[in-house]
Amino acid sequence: MYGLTEQFNNPQVGQPSFQNNGGALAMASASREMEEVKGQIFMAKQFPRNVFQAEQRILDTCKRPALAQTAMYSYPKGGTKVTGPSIRLAEAIAQNWGNLSYGIQELEQRNGESVAKAFCWDLETNVRQEKVFTVKHSIKAKGSLKQLTDPRDIYEKVANDGARRLRSCILGVIPGDIVDKAIAQCTETLAGNSKGPLKDRIAHMLKGFKDLYRVTQEMVEMKFGYNADSFSEYDYVELLNIANSLKDGMSKVEDWFPKEDIKQQSSGLANDFKEQEQKAEVKLDAAPTGNVPTEQPELLL
């Protein structure tokens, strides 16, 4: 047994004990995690999923209008439109499919960035999808990068970037035909169980675009290529997908409504206003000068 004097003279005397303690803690933590995984696999084997019941639960969940409204996302890419199931729909499918382990883990933080992992593991079939990615601690605001220092902001940034990877992992494990049936059921829910006439719902949606994103009805009609009076249920669903994409930060207003179209619309309105002013001036010049007219000329403003 070493005395206190020898410990102070030789600081490395007690170091092996600390290393052994650290190694023992690491081994205990790894052993505990391994036992938890074995327990999950054992329970999944003891109570396997009923595929038909799981499919029915998923379709019943997709009949809820609140989920159907956020079930799809869409964004423009290369002149075409990309659509797919959102993270909300993917999570709902995973919850009702059963015997899945999925989530997002932050592995480490270093030099203004985080290394995280998104995963989904089917405990019955041992099918696993995993994606490791890096998240910069910065966001783009007003054309410049803003560094994040608040731990809460960093956590939200990692969770937001990890949601897309988690959705990809879940959809990589769930059978594709189940996902297709869920999407079809959500579309049917929006078309058949929507409250109120289609005209009123589209008008409410257009008002929301104008109030939240300064997107006018003319800009929406210019994108679709026809008047809002001709919008169908599928157009209403597409408007919902665009709104969800803007809300989740998957795209920007300029991605859907280019600035060139806005400028053309503004210039067109300005030309119409000038023409109306010229017509008003012509009417004023043509009025008789000797007597005051009983009725004032109508100004087209």
Side-chain angles (χ1 to χ4, degrees), residues 164-222:
R164 292 187 286 270
R165 278 83 173 183
L166 179 60
R167 179 188 64 234
S168 177
C169 292
I170 294 175
L171 298 179
V173 172
I174 302 294
D177 61 320
I178 300 297
V179 178
D180 294 339
K181 290 181 180 179
I183 295 174
Q185 181 61 58
C186 289
T187 305
E188 182 179 350
T189 300
L190 288 177
N193 295 334
S194 298
K195 296 182 179 180
L198 176 62
K199 183 178 180 180
D200 296 342
R201 288 184 279 122
I202 290 179
H204 181 72
M205 179 69 66
L206 293 176
K207 184 178 183 300
F209 270 96
K210 184 177 180 180
D211 295 341
L212 297 177
Y213 307 108
R214 297 182 180 180
V215 175
T216 63
Q217 177 177 339
E218 290 77 10
M219 296 166 60
V220 175
E221 292 175 343
M222 188 178 300

Short mmCIF file of all heavy atoms in Angstrom, two decimals, residues 164-222:
data_model
loop_
_atom_site.label_atom_id
_atom_site.label_comp_id
_atom_site.label_asym_id
_atom_site.label_seq_id
_atom_site.Cartn_x
_atom_site.Cartn_y
_atom_site.Cartn_z
N ARG A 164 -35.17 14.80 -41.49
CA ARG A 164 -35.20 14.32 -42.88
C ARG A 164 -34.46 12.98 -43.01
O ARG A 164 -34.89 12.09 -43.74
CB ARG A 164 -34.58 15.36 -43.81
CG ARG A 164 -35.42 16.62 -43.93
CD ARG A 164 -34.88 17.56 -44.99
NE ARG A 164 -33.68 18.24 -44.53
CZ ARG A 164 -33.69 19.41 -43.90
NH1 ARG A 164 -34.84 20.00 -43.60
NH2 ARG A 164 -32.58 20.00 -43.52
N ARG A 165 -33.33 12.83 -42.28
CA ARG A 165 -32.62 11.55 -42.32
C ARG A 165 -33.42 10.45 -41.63
O ARG A 165 -33.44 9.31 -42.10
CB ARG A 165 -31.26 11.68 -41.64
CG ARG A 165 -30.16 12.28 -42.50
CD ARG A 165 -30.19 13.76 -42.50
NE ARG A 165 -29.04 14.34 -43.19
CZ ARG A 165 -28.81 15.64 -43.28
NH1 ARG A 165 -29.65 16.51 -42.72
NH2 ARG A 165 -27.76 16.10 -43.93
N LEU A 166 -34.10 10.81 -40.54
CA LEU A 166 -34.91 9.82 -39.85
C LEU A 166 -36.06 9.35 -40.73
O LEU A 166 -36.39 8.17 -40.76
CB LEU A 166 -35.44 10.41 -38.54
CG LEU A 166 -36.33 9.49 -37.71
CD1 LEU A 166 -35.59 8.22 -37.31
CD2 LEU A 166 -36.84 10.23 -36.48
N ARG A 167 -36.68 10.28 -41.45
CA ARG A 167 -37.76 9.89 -42.36
C ARG A 167 -37.25 8.92 -43.41
O ARG A 167 -37.89 7.91 -43.72
CB ARG A 167 -38.33 11.13 -43.05
CG ARG A 167 -39.46 10.83 -44.03
CD ARG A 167 -39.85 12.05 -44.83
NE ARG A 167 -38.76 12.51 -45.66
CZ ARG A 167 -38.29 13.75 -45.65
NH1 ARG A 167 -38.79 14.65 -44.84
NH2 ARG A 167 -37.29 14.09 -46.44
N SER A 168 -36.07 9.18 -43.95
CA SER A 168 -35.50 8.30 -44.95
C SER A 168 -35.21 6.92 -44.38
O SER A 168 -35.43 5.90 -45.05
CB SER A 168 -34.22 8.92 -45.52
OG SER A 168 -33.60 8.06 -46.45
N CYS A 169 -34.73 6.86 -43.13
CA CYS A 169 -34.44 5.57 -42.50
C CYS A 169 -35.72 4.77 -42.27
O CYS A 169 -35.77 3.56 -42.53
CB CYS A 169 -33.70 5.79 -41.18
SG CYS A 169 -32.03 6.44 -41.35
N ILE A 170 -36.76 5.44 -41.77
CA ILE A 170 -38.02 4.74 -41.51
C ILE A 170 -38.62 4.20 -42.81
O ILE A 170 -39.04 3.04 -42.88
CB ILE A 170 -39.02 5.67 -40.80
CG1 ILE A 170 -38.51 6.02 -39.40
CG2 ILE A 170 -40.39 5.04 -40.71
CD1 ILE A 170 -39.37 7.03 -38.66
N LEU A 171 -38.64 5.03 -43.84
CA LEU A 171 -39.21 4.61 -45.12
C LEU A 171 -38.37 3.53 -45.78
O LEU A 171 -38.86 2.79 -46.64
CB LEU A 171 -39.37 5.80 -46.05
CG LEU A 171 -40.32 6.90 -45.56
CD1 LEU A 171 -40.37 8.04 -46.56
CD2 LEU A 171 -41.70 6.34 -45.31
N GLY A 172 -37.09 3.43 -45.41
CA GLY A 172 -36.25 2.37 -45.94
C GLY A 172 -36.49 1.02 -45.29
O GLY A 172 -36.09 -0.01 -45.85
N VAL A 173 -37.16 1.01 -44.13
CA VAL A 173 -37.44 -0.24 -43.42
C VAL A 173 -38.87 -0.70 -43.66
O VAL A 173 -39.13 -1.90 -43.82
CB VAL A 173 -37.16 -0.05 -41.91
CG1 VAL A 173 -37.62 -1.26 -41.12
CG2 VAL A 173 -35.67 0.20 -41.67
N ILE A 174 -39.82 0.25 -43.68
CA ILE A 174 -41.23 -0.10 -43.89
C ILE A 174 -41.43 -0.54 -45.35
O ILE A 174 -40.90 0.08 -46.27
CB ILE A 174 -42.13 1.10 -43.58
CG1 ILE A 174 -41.90 1.57 -42.14
CG2 ILE A 174 -43.60 0.75 -43.79
CD1 ILE A 174 -42.32 0.59 -41.10
N PRO A 175 -42.19 -1.60 -45.61
CA PRO A 175 -42.45 -2.02 -46.99
C PRO A 175 -43.08 -0.90 -47.82
O PRO A 175 -43.93 -0.14 -47.34
CB PRO A 175 -43.41 -3.21 -46.82
CG PRO A 175 -43.12 -3.74 -45.46
CD PRO A 175 -42.75 -2.56 -44.63
N GLY A 176 -42.67 -0.81 -49.08
CA GLY A 176 -43.12 0.28 -49.93
C GLY A 176 -44.61 0.29 -50.20
O GLY A 176 -45.23 1.35 -50.31
N ASP A 177 -45.23 -0.90 -50.32
CA ASP A 177 -46.66 -0.94 -50.59
C ASP A 177 -47.47 -0.41 -49.42
O ASP A 177 -48.53 0.19 -49.61
CB ASP A 177 -47.09 -2.37 -50.94
CG ASP A 177 -46.82 -3.34 -49.80
OD1 ASP A 177 -45.76 -3.21 -49.15
OD2 ASP A 177 -47.68 -4.21 -49.54
N ILE A 178 -46.97 -0.59 -48.20
CA ILE A 178 -47.67 -0.04 -47.02
C ILE A 178 -47.62 1.48 -47.06
O ILE A 178 -48.62 2.16 -46.77
CB ILE A 178 -47.02 -0.58 -45.74
CG1 ILE A 178 -47.11 -2.11 -45.69
CG2 ILE A 178 -47.68 0.03 -44.51
CD1 ILE A 178 -48.51 -2.65 -45.64
N VAL A 179 -46.48 2.03 -47.43
CA VAL A 179 -46.35 3.49 -47.52
C VAL A 179 -47.26 4.04 -48.60
O VAL A 179 -47.92 5.07 -48.42
CB VAL A 179 -44.88 3.87 -47.77
CG1 VAL A 179 -44.73 5.39 -47.91
CG2 VAL A 179 -43.99 3.37 -46.64
N ASP A 180 -47.33 3.36 -49.75
CA ASP A 180 -48.19 3.83 -50.85
C ASP A 180 -49.66 3.82 -50.44
O ASP A 180 -50.42 4.74 -50.76
CB ASP A 180 -47.98 2.95 -52.08
CG ASP A 180 -46.59 3.11 -52.66
OD1 ASP A 180 -45.94 4.14 -52.38
OD2 ASP A 180 -46.14 2.20 -53.39
N LYS A 181 -50.09 2.78 -49.72
CA LYS A 181 -51.47 2.73 -49.27
C LYS A 181 -51.77 3.84 -48.26
O LYS A 181 -52.87 4.42 -48.26
CB LYS A 181 -51.76 1.37 -48.64
CG LYS A 181 -51.80 0.22 -49.64
CD LYS A 181 -52.11 -1.10 -48.95
CE LYS A 181 -52.14 -2.25 -49.96
NZ LYS A 181 -52.43 -3.55 -49.29
N ALA A 182 -50.80 4.15 -47.41
CA ALA A 182 -50.99 5.23 -46.44
C ALA A 182 -51.13 6.57 -47.14
O ALA A 182 -51.97 7.40 -46.77
CB ALA A 182 -49.82 5.26 -45.45
N ILE A 183 -50.32 6.81 -48.17
CA ILE A 183 -50.41 8.06 -48.92
C ILE A 183 -51.76 8.17 -49.62
O ILE A 183 -52.41 9.24 -49.61
CB ILE A 183 -49.25 8.15 -49.94
CG1 ILE A 183 -47.91 8.24 -49.20
CG2 ILE A 183 -49.44 9.35 -50.86
CD1 ILE A 183 -46.72 8.19 -50.13
N ALA A 184 -52.21 7.08 -50.24
CA ALA A 184 -53.50 7.10 -50.93
C ALA A 184 -54.63 7.37 -49.96
O ALA A 184 -55.58 8.11 -50.27
CB ALA A 184 -53.72 5.77 -51.65
N GLN A 185 -54.56 6.80 -48.75
CA GLN A 185 -55.61 7.02 -47.76
C GLN A 185 -55.62 8.46 -47.27
O GLN A 185 -56.69 9.05 -47.06
CB GLN A 185 -55.41 6.06 -46.58
CG GLN A 185 -56.47 6.19 -45.49
CD GLN A 185 -57.85 5.89 -46.02
OE1 GLN A 185 -58.11 4.81 -46.53
NE2 GLN A 185 -58.77 6.84 -45.90
N CYS A 186 -54.45 9.07 -47.11
CA CYS A 186 -54.38 10.47 -46.70
C CYS A 186 -54.98 11.38 -47.77
O CYS A 186 -55.72 12.33 -47.45
CB CYS A 186 -52.94 10.86 -46.41
SG CYS A 186 -52.24 10.14 -44.91
N THR A 187 -54.69 11.11 -49.03
CA THR A 187 -55.27 11.91 -50.11
C THR A 187 -56.78 11.76 -50.15
O THR A 187 -57.52 12.74 -50.34
CB THR A 187 -54.67 11.48 -51.46
OG1 THR A 187 -53.24 11.58 -51.40
CG2 THR A 187 -55.18 12.36 -52.58
N GLU A 188 -57.26 10.54 -49.95
CA GLU A 188 -58.71 10.31 -49.92
C GLU A 188 -59.36 11.01 -48.73
O GLU A 188 -60.48 11.53 -48.83
CB GLU A 188 -58.99 8.81 -49.87
CG GLU A 188 -60.47 8.45 -49.90
CD GLU A 188 -60.69 6.96 -49.87
OE1 GLU A 188 -59.70 6.21 -50.02
OE2 GLU A 188 -61.85 6.54 -49.68
N THR A 189 -58.66 11.03 -47.60
CA THR A 189 -59.20 11.71 -46.42
C THR A 189 -59.37 13.20 -46.67
O THR A 189 -60.39 13.81 -46.32
CB THR A 189 -58.28 11.48 -45.22
OG1 THR A 189 -58.20 10.07 -44.96
CG2 THR A 189 -58.81 12.18 -43.98
N LEU A 190 -58.36 13.81 -47.30
CA LEU A 190 -58.44 15.24 -47.59
C LEU A 190 -59.56 15.54 -48.57
O LEU A 190 -60.26 16.55 -48.45
CB LEU A 190 -57.11 15.74 -48.14
CG LEU A 190 -55.95 15.83 -47.16
CD1 LEU A 190 -54.69 16.26 -47.87
CD2 LEU A 190 -56.28 16.80 -46.04
N ALA A 191 -59.75 14.67 -49.55
CA ALA A 191 -60.75 14.93 -50.59
C ALA A 191 -62.17 14.67 -50.11
O ALA A 191 -63.09 15.40 -50.49
CB ALA A 191 -60.47 14.06 -51.81
N GLY A 192 -62.35 13.65 -49.23
CA GLY A 192 -63.70 13.26 -48.87
C GLY A 192 -64.18 13.76 -47.53
O GLY A 192 -65.38 13.95 -47.34
N ASN A 193 -63.27 13.99 -46.59
CA ASN A 193 -63.68 14.35 -45.24
C ASN A 193 -63.37 15.80 -44.89
O ASN A 193 -63.34 16.16 -43.72
CB ASN A 193 -63.00 13.44 -44.21
CG ASN A 193 -63.46 12.00 -44.35
OD1 ASN A 193 -64.55 11.74 -44.82
ND2 ASN A 193 -62.61 11.07 -43.95
N SER A 194 -63.11 16.62 -45.89
CA SER A 194 -62.80 18.03 -45.63
C SER A 194 -64.08 18.76 -45.24
O SER A 194 -65.15 18.51 -45.81
CB SER A 194 -62.17 18.68 -46.86
OG SER A 194 -60.95 18.04 -47.18
N LYS A 195 -63.96 19.65 -44.29
CA LYS A 195 -65.11 20.41 -43.81
C LYS A 195 -65.31 21.64 -44.68
O LYS A 195 -64.37 22.37 -44.95
CB LYS A 195 -64.90 20.83 -42.35
CG LYS A 195 -64.81 19.66 -41.37
CD LYS A 195 -64.65 20.15 -39.96
CE LYS A 195 -64.59 18.98 -38.99
NZ LYS A 195 -64.42 19.43 -37.59
N GLY A 196 -66.55 21.85 -45.11
CA GLY A 196 -66.87 23.04 -45.88
C GLY A 196 -66.70 22.82 -47.36
O GLY A 196 -66.01 21.89 -47.80
N PRO A 197 -67.31 23.69 -48.16
CA PRO A 197 -67.17 23.59 -49.62
C PRO A 197 -65.73 23.82 -50.07
O PRO A 197 -64.96 24.50 -49.39
CB PRO A 197 -68.11 24.69 -50.13
CG PRO A 197 -69.01 25.00 -48.99
CD PRO A 197 -68.23 24.75 -47.75
N LEU A 198 -65.40 23.24 -51.21
CA LEU A 198 -64.04 23.38 -51.74
C LEU A 198 -63.70 24.84 -51.99
O LEU A 198 -62.58 25.29 -51.75
CB LEU A 198 -63.90 22.57 -53.03
CG LEU A 198 -62.56 22.69 -53.76
CD1 LEU A 198 -61.42 22.19 -52.90
CD2 LEU A 198 -62.60 21.92 -55.08
N LYS A 199 -64.68 25.61 -52.50
CA LYS A 199 -64.43 27.02 -52.81
C LYS A 199 -64.02 27.80 -51.56
O LYS A 199 -63.09 28.61 -51.59
CB LYS A 199 -65.68 27.63 -53.44
CG LYS A 199 -65.52 29.08 -53.85
CD LYS A 199 -66.78 29.59 -54.50
CE LYS A 199 -66.63 31.06 -54.92
NZ LYS A 199 -67.87 31.58 -55.55
N ASP A 200 -64.69 27.54 -50.43
CA ASP A 200 -64.37 28.24 -49.19
C ASP A 200 -63.00 27.81 -48.66
O ASP A 200 -62.24 28.64 -48.14
CB ASP A 200 -65.44 27.97 -48.14
CG ASP A 200 -66.80 28.53 -48.54
OD1 ASP A 200 -66.83 29.41 -49.43
OD2 ASP A 200 -67.82 28.08 -47.99
N ARG A 201 -62.68 26.53 -48.78
CA ARG A 201 -61.37 26.06 -48.30
C ARG A 201 -60.23 26.64 -49.12
O ARG A 201 -59.18 26.99 -48.58
CB ARG A 201 -61.33 24.53 -48.33
CG ARG A 201 -62.19 23.89 -47.25
CD ARG A 201 -62.06 22.39 -47.23
NE ARG A 201 -62.90 21.76 -48.23
CZ ARG A 201 -62.46 20.97 -49.19
NH1 ARG A 201 -61.17 20.71 -49.29
NH2 ARG A 201 -63.29 20.43 -50.06
N ILE A 202 -60.42 26.75 -50.43
CA ILE A 202 -59.38 27.34 -51.28
C ILE A 202 -59.23 28.83 -50.97
O ILE A 202 -58.11 29.36 -50.91
CB ILE A 202 -59.71 27.11 -52.76
CG1 ILE A 202 -59.56 25.62 -53.10
CG2 ILE A 202 -58.81 27.96 -53.66
CD1 ILE A 202 -59.90 25.29 -54.53
N ALA A 203 -60.35 29.52 -50.75
CA ALA A 203 -60.28 30.94 -50.41
C ALA A 203 -59.54 31.15 -49.09
O ALA A 203 -58.73 32.08 -48.95
CB ALA A 203 -61.69 31.52 -50.34
N HIS A 204 -59.80 30.28 -48.10
CA HIS A 204 -59.10 30.36 -46.82
C HIS A 204 -57.61 30.09 -47.00
O HIS A 204 -56.77 30.75 -46.36
CB HIS A 204 -59.72 29.37 -45.84
CG HIS A 204 -59.08 29.39 -44.48
ND1 HIS A 204 -59.26 30.41 -43.58
CD2 HIS A 204 -58.24 28.51 -43.88
CE1 HIS A 204 -58.58 30.17 -42.48
NE2 HIS A 204 -57.95 29.01 -42.64
N MET A 205 -57.27 29.13 -47.86
CA MET A 205 -55.87 28.82 -48.11
C MET A 205 -55.16 29.99 -48.78
O MET A 205 -54.04 30.36 -48.41
CB MET A 205 -55.77 27.57 -48.98
CG MET A 205 -54.35 27.16 -49.33
SD MET A 205 -53.42 26.54 -47.91
CE MET A 205 -54.34 25.06 -47.56
N LEU A 206 -55.80 30.61 -49.76
CA LEU A 206 -55.19 31.76 -50.45
C LEU A 206 -54.99 32.93 -49.50
O LEU A 206 -53.99 33.64 -49.58
CB LEU A 206 -56.08 32.18 -51.63
CG LEU A 206 -56.17 31.16 -52.78
CD1 LEU A 206 -57.16 31.65 -53.83
CD2 LEU A 206 -54.81 30.92 -53.42
N LYS A 207 -55.92 33.12 -48.59
CA LYS A 207 -55.77 34.19 -47.60
C LYS A 207 -54.59 33.91 -46.68
O LYS A 207 -53.83 34.82 -46.31
CB LYS A 207 -57.05 34.33 -46.78
CG LYS A 207 -57.03 35.47 -45.78
CD LYS A 207 -58.35 35.58 -45.04
CE LYS A 207 -58.34 36.78 -44.09
NZ LYS A 207 -57.27 36.69 -43.07
N GLY A 208 -54.40 32.64 -46.30
CA GLY A 208 -53.26 32.29 -45.48
C GLY A 208 -51.94 32.53 -46.18
O GLY A 208 -50.97 33.01 -45.58
N PHE A 209 -51.85 32.21 -47.48
CA PHE A 209 -50.63 32.47 -48.24
C PHE A 209 -50.33 33.97 -48.27
O PHE A 209 -49.17 34.38 -48.16
CB PHE A 209 -50.78 31.94 -49.66
CG PHE A 209 -50.33 30.52 -49.83
CD1 PHE A 209 -51.22 29.47 -49.79
CD2 PHE A 209 -48.99 30.22 -50.03
CE1 PHE A 209 -50.80 28.16 -49.93
CE2 PHE A 209 -48.55 28.92 -50.18
CZ PHE A 209 -49.47 27.88 -50.13
N LYS A 210 -51.35 34.77 -48.43
CA LYS A 210 -51.14 36.22 -48.51
C LYS A 210 -50.72 36.81 -47.17
O LYS A 210 -49.83 37.66 -47.09
CB LYS A 210 -52.42 36.90 -49.00
CG LYS A 210 -52.27 38.41 -49.20
CD LYS A 210 -53.55 39.01 -49.75
CE LYS A 210 -53.39 40.51 -49.96
NZ LYS A 210 -54.64 41.12 -50.49
N ASP A 211 -51.34 36.34 -46.07
CA ASP A 211 -51.04 36.90 -44.76
C ASP A 211 -49.69 36.44 -44.23
O ASP A 211 -48.97 37.23 -43.61
CB ASP A 211 -52.15 36.50 -43.77
CG ASP A 211 -53.50 37.12 -44.12
OD1 ASP A 211 -53.51 38.11 -44.89
OD2 ASP A 211 -54.54 36.60 -43.66
N LEU A 212 -49.34 35.17 -44.47
CA LEU A 212 -48.12 34.62 -43.89
C LEU A 212 -46.89 34.81 -44.76
O LEU A 212 -45.80 35.08 -44.26
CB LEU A 212 -48.30 33.13 -43.60
CG LEU A 212 -49.38 32.76 -42.56
CD1 LEU A 212 -49.49 31.26 -42.44
CD2 LEU A 212 -49.05 33.38 -41.20
N TYR A 213 -47.06 34.67 -46.09
CA TYR A 213 -45.90 34.67 -46.98
C TYR A 213 -45.97 35.75 -48.06
O TYR A 213 -45.11 35.78 -48.93
CB TYR A 213 -45.79 33.29 -47.67
CG TYR A 213 -45.78 32.14 -46.70
CD1 TYR A 213 -46.87 31.28 -46.58
CD2 TYR A 213 -44.68 31.91 -45.88
CE1 TYR A 213 -46.87 30.23 -45.69
CE2 TYR A 213 -44.66 30.85 -44.99
CZ TYR A 213 -45.76 30.02 -44.90
OH TYR A 213 -45.75 28.97 -44.00
N ARG A 214 -46.99 36.62 -48.01
CA ARG A 214 -47.14 37.70 -49.00
C ARG A 214 -47.22 37.16 -50.43
O ARG A 214 -46.67 37.73 -51.36
CB ARG A 214 -46.00 38.71 -48.87
CG ARG A 214 -45.97 39.44 -47.53
CD ARG A 214 -44.85 40.46 -47.47
NE ARG A 214 -44.84 41.15 -46.19
CZ ARG A 214 -43.96 42.10 -45.85
NH1 ARG A 214 -43.03 42.46 -46.75
NH2 ARG A 214 -44.00 42.67 -44.68
N VAL A 215 -47.89 36.05 -50.56
CA VAL A 215 -48.12 35.43 -51.86
C VAL A 215 -49.56 35.70 -52.25
O VAL A 215 -50.49 35.24 -51.58
CB VAL A 215 -47.84 33.92 -51.82
CG1 VAL A 215 -48.19 33.26 -53.14
CG2 VAL A 215 -46.38 33.66 -51.46
N THR A 216 -49.77 36.46 -53.32
CA THR A 216 -51.11 36.86 -53.73
C THR A 216 -51.78 35.75 -54.54
O THR A 216 -51.13 34.78 -54.97
CB THR A 216 -51.06 38.14 -54.55
OG1 THR A 216 -50.31 37.89 -55.76
CG2 THR A 216 -50.39 39.26 -53.77
N GLN A 217 -53.07 35.91 -54.74
CA GLN A 217 -53.82 34.94 -55.53
C GLN A 217 -53.32 34.90 -56.96
O GLN A 217 -53.26 33.83 -57.59
CB GLN A 217 -55.31 35.29 -55.50
CG GLN A 217 -56.18 34.36 -56.36
CD GLN A 217 -57.65 34.68 -56.26
OE1 GLN A 217 -58.09 35.32 -55.30
NE2 GLN A 217 -58.42 34.26 -57.25
N GLU A 218 -52.93 36.06 -57.52
CA GLU A 218 -52.43 36.10 -58.89
C GLU A 218 -51.14 35.29 -59.03
O GLU A 218 -50.92 34.63 -60.05
CB GLU A 218 -52.19 37.55 -59.33
CG GLU A 218 -53.46 38.37 -59.54
CD GLU A 218 -54.08 38.81 -58.23
OE1 GLU A 218 -53.41 38.65 -57.18
OE2 GLU A 218 -55.22 39.31 -58.25
N MET A 219 -50.29 35.33 -58.00
CA MET A 219 -49.05 34.56 -58.05
C MET A 219 -49.33 33.06 -58.02
O MET A 219 -48.67 32.28 -58.71
CB MET A 219 -48.14 34.97 -56.89
CG MET A 219 -47.68 36.42 -56.94
SD MET A 219 -46.97 37.00 -55.37
CE MET A 219 -45.61 35.87 -55.16
N VAL A 220 -50.32 32.65 -57.21
CA VAL A 220 -50.69 31.24 -57.16
C VAL A 220 -51.27 30.79 -58.50
O VAL A 220 -50.94 29.71 -59.03
CB VAL A 220 -51.68 30.98 -56.02
CG1 VAL A 220 -52.17 29.54 -56.03
CG2 VAL A 220 -51.05 31.31 -54.67
N GLU A 221 -52.13 31.62 -59.08
CA GLU A 221 -52.73 31.27 -60.37
C GLU A 221 -51.68 31.23 -61.47
O GLU A 221 -51.77 30.40 -62.39
CB GLU A 221 -53.82 32.29 -60.71
CG GLU A 221 -55.03 32.22 -59.80
CD GLU A 221 -56.03 33.31 -60.08
OE1 GLU A 221 -55.67 34.31 -60.74
OE2 GLU A 221 -57.19 33.20 -59.65
N MET A 222 -50.68 32.10 -61.39
CA MET A 222 -49.61 32.08 -62.38
C MET A 222 -48.80 30.79 -62.29
O MET A 222 -48.37 30.23 -63.31
CB MET A 222 -48.69 33.29 -62.18
CG MET A 222 -47.64 33.47 -63.26
SD MET A 222 -46.63 34.95 -62.96
CE MET A 222 -47.90 36.23 -62.99
#
